[in-house]
Amino acid sequence: MEIRELIDESDREDAAPILKQLWTDRDREEILTWTAEDDYYLFGAFEDSTLLGVAGVRIDDFLHHQRHVWLYDFVVDEPRRGEGIGTALLEHVESWAIEHDCESVALASPLDGEAVHEYYGKRGFEKWGYVIEREL
C-alpha cells in the first residue's frame, strides 16, 4: 500500500466519492471546495492505482492544544474497511504531524459513535472533553 498527499484537482475528484461516504449530506462540489483550501492536506491510501481511503487534516493551534494536527476527514472505502487501511493512514498522519512539529493529533466525533470511539481508543487517543455547539 502506498500513502501519498493528494494535491491535484483530479486526485481530489477521485477522493470525493469516498469522502461522500463520511459526509452524506454534502455534495461533490462542496467536498472539492474544502479539499482545495490552502491549509487543508488530503492523504490517500492506494493499492496499485486504486484509492482505498483518505485522511484530511489541518495544522491548528486552538483549544487546549499546542500546535497539532486536526483530523477533519478520515474514511476508508466501505468494502475495504477492516483491512488495516485506516490504521496505516492514521500512522501516516501521525508521522506527518511529527515532521511538522506538531504535539498531537486531535479530532471530534459524534457522541453516538461508540465503534469510532473504540477504534481511536485502541490507538491511544484519549477523550478529554466534549465539543458543544448550537446551530444558528
Side-chain angles (χ1 to χ4, degrees):
M1 179 177 358
E2 173 195 9
I3 298 175
R4 64 177 172 83
E5 187 174 353
L6 305 181
I7 299 170
D8 299 331
E9 184 173 349
S10 64
D11 287 336
R12 294 191 321 275
E13 287 175 357
D14 291 343
I18 293 176
L19 285 163
K20 187 87 171 104
Q21 294 175 34
L22 179 64
W23 300 108
T24 57
D25 61 332
R26 301 300 175 100
D27 66 38
R28 183 178 169 280
E29 290 307 313
E30 285 178 291
I31 291 169
L32 292 175
T33 298
W34 87 67
T35 59
E37 292 177 3
D38 288 341
D39 56 352
Y40 179 91
Y41 301 90
L42 185 64
F43 302 100
F46 291 84
E47 184 177 79
D48 299 319
S49 61
T50 303
L51 183 60
L52 307 173
V54 295
V57 303
R58 287 186 182 178
I59 295 175
D60 282 315
D61 187 356
F62 65 87
L63 300 175
H64 78 289
H65 303 288
Q66 297 294 321
R67 183 176 167 88
H68 65 281
V69 163
W70 189 266
L71 184 60
Y72 282 91
D73 304 310
F74 183 59
V75 62
V76 172
D77 195 17
E78 175 124 36
R80 300 301 301 266
R81 293 177 189 168
E83 298 179 24
I85 298 161
T87 299
L89 264 171
L90 194 55
E91 288 171 355
H92 180 83
V93 166
E94 290 172 346
S95 295
W96 185 86
I98 291 167
E99 291 171 12
H100 289 81
D101 298 321
C102 295
E103 296 184 2
S104 62
V105 175
L107 61 115
S109 174
L111 285 173
D112 62 356
E114 291 180 30
V116 172
H117 302 159
E118 184 178 328
Y119 174 85
Y120 288 112
K122 286 181 179 178
R123 284 151 186 83
F125 285 71
E126 298 176 12
K127 296 179 193 175
W128 64 266
Y130 293 96
V131 174
I132 299 172
E133 64 184 11
R134 177 177 155 164
E135 193 170 321
L136 302 175

